[in-house]
């Protein structure tokens, strides 16, 4: 947490607490052990990627640096809540939070194994000093492919907790990919959006004043049908009603800012959106600003992927980078009494 001074309405100077909420696609954070129940064979020492202990621990070190830096310009203590995806299991998350760059921050973990065929899961890392989990559940996304067979994918993680004694709900997502093309795969993401909306609706049924943050790698942009037609996320605060959802990433996307690149086109698949009562909230935490975290060290400086996120493998070769995605984050603030 950081105390900052801002000028409010009428230019009165006020002090605020800052909390940082972030999301990062860890890009295939696998351990080096072959799990016979999932398709992780490439990420083993004898697999195609030659995934050795040295490479694994280099990846842990790289990711730890990123996680310690996200949002640090305004909040040097780092993210208070950090959603992640593409983690193979709880063990890799434990290795991550126990790295020297992160250990002092005392992160806890909420994680469930999901039925994804590759064995990759979502999870939530939380700073124990600022957030106390109350309950958590993994909500299954049931999909069938064109042949009528089950298509196993990631669950949606739902966590209820107290952020400095203020109750909030967090949903961590990793929606189905665009494999096979955007149009062909779109129905899967629409199903994921429908599940996300049902979760939000059920939380509001149980708690009409529920403050909800949904984050993840949605494999869709802020203007995609999943966001505009199913969730009806609004990109401008003035468009919100009391039950609306606010997507601060839409404005970034329209400025050409992305979290990943493909064939020289930027997408903003990594997003965080919030319920209206986290935007118009005079008594507690409220949205301040959002951004994509893309410092120079996360950007590939040369070659065919120059300007893209500096990833672990590129063109089939190990380059020892970070991830093929940039992290995203929002700052919440509340006035100090």
């Amino acid at each position: 947490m950081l105390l900052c001074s801002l000028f409010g309405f009428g230019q009165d100077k006020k002090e605020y607490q800052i909390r940082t909420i972030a999301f990062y696609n860890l890009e295939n954070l696998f351990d080096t052990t072959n799990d016979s129940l999932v398709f992780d064979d490439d990420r083993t020492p004898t697999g195609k990627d030659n995934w050795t202990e040295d490479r694994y621990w280099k990846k842990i070190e790289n990711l730890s640096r990123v996680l310690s830096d996200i949002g640090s310009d305004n909040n040097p203590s780092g993210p208070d809540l950090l959603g992640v995806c593409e983690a193979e299991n709880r063990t890799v998350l434990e290795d991550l939070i126990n790295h020297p760059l992160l250990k002092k921050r005392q992160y806890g973990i909420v994680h469930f194994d999901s039925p994804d065929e590759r064995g990759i899961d979502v999870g939530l890392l939380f700073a124990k000093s600022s957030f106390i989990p109350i309950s958590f559940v993994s909500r299954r996304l049931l999909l069938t492919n064109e042949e009528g067979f089950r298509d196993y994918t990631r669950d949606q993680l739902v966590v209820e907790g107290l952020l400095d004694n203020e109750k909030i709900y967090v949903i961590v997502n990793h929606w189905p990919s665009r494999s096979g093309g955007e149009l062909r795969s779109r129905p899967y993401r629409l199903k994921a959006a429908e599940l996300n909306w049902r979760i939000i609706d059920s939380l509001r049924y149980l708690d009409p004043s529920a403050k909800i943050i949904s984050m993840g790698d949605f494999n869709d942009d802020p203007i995609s049908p999943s966001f505009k037609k199913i969730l009806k996320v609004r990109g401008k605060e003035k468009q919100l009603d009391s039950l609306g959802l606010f997507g601060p990433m839409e404005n970034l996307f329209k400025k050409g800012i992305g979290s990943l690149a493909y064939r020289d086109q930027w997408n903003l698949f990594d997003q965080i959106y919030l319920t209206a009562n986290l935007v118009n909230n005079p008594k507690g935490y409220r949205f301040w600003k959002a951004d994509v975290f893309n410092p120079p060290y996360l950007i590939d400086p040369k070659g065919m992927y120059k300007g893209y996120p500096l990833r672990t493998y590129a063109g089939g070769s190990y380059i020892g980078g970070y991830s093929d995605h940039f992290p995203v984050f929002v700052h919440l603030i509340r006035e100090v009494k």
Side-chain angles (χ1 to χ4, degrees):
M1 177 188 68
L2 178 73
L3 293 180
C4 72
S5 297
L6 300 173
F7 287 98
F9 182 75
Q11 297 301 301
D12 293 329
K13 193 174 183 180
K14 298 180 179 180
E15 281 202 330
Y16 294 88
Q17 293 177 329
I18 300 176
R19 292 298 184 192
T20 304
I21 318 297
F23 177 82
Y24 196 20
N25 181 323
L26 304 178
E27 191 207 17
N28 296 321
L29 181 57
F30 285 87
D31 60 27
T32 59
T33 304
N34 188 12
D35 185 341
S36 61
L37 299 179
V38 296
F39 301 134
D40 68 344
D41 302 58
D42 289 346
R43 286 295 171 104
T44 60
T46 58
K48 177 176 67 70
D49 292 335
N50 189 25
W51 190 238
T52 62
E53 286 284 323
D54 286 345
R55 290 182 176 184
Y56 171 72
W57 288 109
K58 174 65 174 175
K59 174 102 171 170
I60 290 290
E61 181 180 1
N62 285 351
L63 295 176
S64 299
R65 178 186 180 187
V66 181
L67 299 187
S68 66
D69 286 350
I70 295 173
S72 59
D73 286 350
N74 294 114
N75 185 7
S77 62
D80 298 278
L81 293 171
L82 177 62
V84 296
C85 73
E86 293 202 13
E88 184 179 15
N89 48 46
R90 186 182 181 92
T91 300
V92 300
L93 295 178
E94 289 174 346
D95 288 342
L96 189 59
I97 65 172
N98 285 314
H99 186 277
L101 287 173
L102 296 178
K103 188 164 185 167
K104 61 186 177 183
R105 299 192 175 178
Q106 293 289 299
Y107 281 114
I109 300 171
V110 180
H111 166 269
F112 292 91
D113 286 312
S114 71
D116 181 82
E117 294 170 350
R118 293 173 55 217
I120 53 175
D121 308 325
V122 299
L124 181 71
L125 310 182
F126 61 92
K128 296 177 183 178
S129 60
S130 57
F131 185 78
I132 302 173
I134 298 172
S135 65
F136 34 87
V137 64
S138 187
R139 293 289 301 274
R140 193 132 296 174
L141 177 59
L142 297 174
L143 300 174
T144 54
N145 61 26
E146 294 170 342
E147 288 76 37
F149 294 105
R150 173 82 181 274
D151 193 337
Y152 294 93
T153 189
R154 282 76 62 178
D155 296 343
Q156 295 184 15
L157 176 62
V158 187
V159 181
E160 174 190 9
L162 298 176
L163 182 64
D164 297 318
N165 294 315
E166 187 172 334
K167 184 182 286 189
I168 66 166
Y169 300 84
V170 180
I171 310 170
V172 187
N173 304 262
H174 186 192
W175 288 4
S177 75
R178 295 192 171 194
S179 177
E182 191 279 326
L183 264 180
R184 185 176 178 182
S185 60
R186 182 185 295 176
Y188 297 153
R189 289 184 298 283
L190 294 179
K191 289 287 186 183
E194 289 169 359
L195 173 60
N196 210 235
W197 176 250
R198 288 197 302 272
I199 292 170
I200 293 171
D201 195 44
S202 65
L203 292 175
R204 283 172 162 168
Y205 177 79
L206 297 170
D207 180 0
S209 62
K211 297 169 184 171
I212 305 168
I213 300 170
S214 191
M215 65 174 82
D217 175 359
F218 296 96
N219 277 299
D220 265 342
D221 290 313
I223 60 171
S224 297
S226 56
F227 277 83
K228 289 303 177 184
K229 294 184 178 180
I230 304 297
L231 293 166
K232 296 181 172 60
V233 177
R234 305 301 183 189
K236 297 180 179 178
E237 296 181 32
K238 65 182 181 182
Q239 297 173 330
L240 290 174
D241 58 27
S242 61
L243 295 178
L245 300 174
F246 174 58
M249 303 303 178
E250 183 175 332
N251 187 47
L252 297 174
F253 179 70
K254 289 180 176 178
K255 291 179 179 178
I257 299 171
S259 59
L260 73 158
Y262 180 67
R263 293 181 177 174
D264 294 330
Q265 178 178 333
W266 284 96
N267 292 100
L268 190 43
F269 291 169
D270 305 274
Q271 301 182 53
I272 302 172
Y273 64 90
L274 317 92
T275 48
N277 55 3
L278 276 166
V279 179
N280 307 310
N281 185 22
K283 295 183 179 180
Y285 278 114
R286 60 180 173 85
F287 171 78
W288 178 31
K289 60 182 178 180
D291 210 346
V292 174
F293 183 68
N294 55 1
Y297 73 82
L298 282 183
I299 300 172
D300 199 327
K302 59 185 179 181
M304 65 183 297
Y305 298 110
K306 183 178 180 179
Y308 289 22
L310 183 60
R311 55 197 302 175
T312 309
Y313 289 82
S317 299
Y318 175 76
I319 59 173
Y322 300 83
S323 171
D324 54 347
H325 291 241
F326 294 136
V328 295
F329 67 94
V330 300
H331 287 312
L332 301 181
I333 58 172
R334 72 175 179 185
E335 188 176 346
V336 177
K337 300 298 184 183

